Amino acid sequence: ERSVVAEAALKKGETLFSIPRTLWFTAAALSSHEVGRSVIRWAAGKAPDQVGLSKEHAELCLLAMLMLLERIATGSHSTWATYVAALPWEQTSRLPLTWSPEKLRSELQGAAPQWQVEGKREQLMQAYASLRALFKGASLSTFDKACDADSFIAAFALAHSRAMGIPSKDADGRSWTMAMLPFADMLNHTADPEVSWDIAQQDGKLIIIGRVLRDVEAGKELRISYQGSASAQAFF
């Protein structure tokens, strides 16, 4: 399992990381993809409501599609390829949202989370079908190359486990409520973190700053709180 540990002792108040706005992975980056622009319009319409998705989960669908499109992008078209490739895709099989109905029944044995996960899977299957119906021709080929229903759900689960509650606006004035942060989202979540983070300004530009909350010995894991974002919600 992935984690971030302190290579040297850290003192309370030390700055651990500083991430500029240009490195926030938000759904705004979908606008660089032809298929992505259609996906943004999909989320702004009635389709998410029609399949029962909350605004938060509709935005997670956008992050999922952005990851999937970046995975197949090449050369100058792949702005985020290195980051997306480094994400723990192999661990999505541990997330109940990706389990088969048989495994869900075996592992959860009728407990309330089983019905919640099954309900969310059904919503996401409908969302996938709704998205795919937007495309034809070359755009449909790109969409199909990027994902099938199972990989779409896996990408949603990955976004759900890593996205942080960070509001932002893009160049077109669209508002977003969450972002994934290179490096920072490699820190595991906890309710009692060693590292805090906040949005600040530096030279007139937005940044995320992470600071050490207490003295940390070398070799100890560094953890963070995602502050009420999707990542704090268990099971999906």
Side-chain angles (χ1 to χ4, degrees), residues 130-170:
S130 176
L131 282 165
R132 191 174 186 276
L134 297 174
F135 305 107
K136 58 183 179 180
S139 294
L140 179 58
S141 296
T142 299
F143 182 87
D144 285 344
K145 182 179 179 182
C147 65
D148 57 17
D150 286 339
S151 60
F152 174 74
I153 290 173
F156 176 95
L158 185 58
H160 196 291
S161 71
R162 308 190 78 79
M164 301 166 72
I166 300 172
S168 64
K169 281 193 174 182
D170 63 23

Side-chain angles (χ1 to χ4, degrees), residues 155-187:
F156 176 95
L158 185 58
H160 196 291
S161 71
R162 308 190 78 79
M164 301 166 72
I166 300 172
S168 64
K169 281 193 174 182
D170 63 23
D172 295 318
R174 290 182 292 253
S175 295
W176 307 106
T177 63
M178 59 188 70
M180 295 165 63
L181 300 178
F183 177 76
D185 68 5
M186 296 298 179
L187 278 69

Side-chain angles (χ1 to χ4, degrees), residues 160-165 189-190 225-235:
H160 196 291
S161 71
R162 308 190 78 79
M164 301 166 72
H189 168 78
T190 180
S225 169
Y226 295 148
Q227 298 185 5
S229 75
S231 293
Q233 301 171 32
F235 271 108

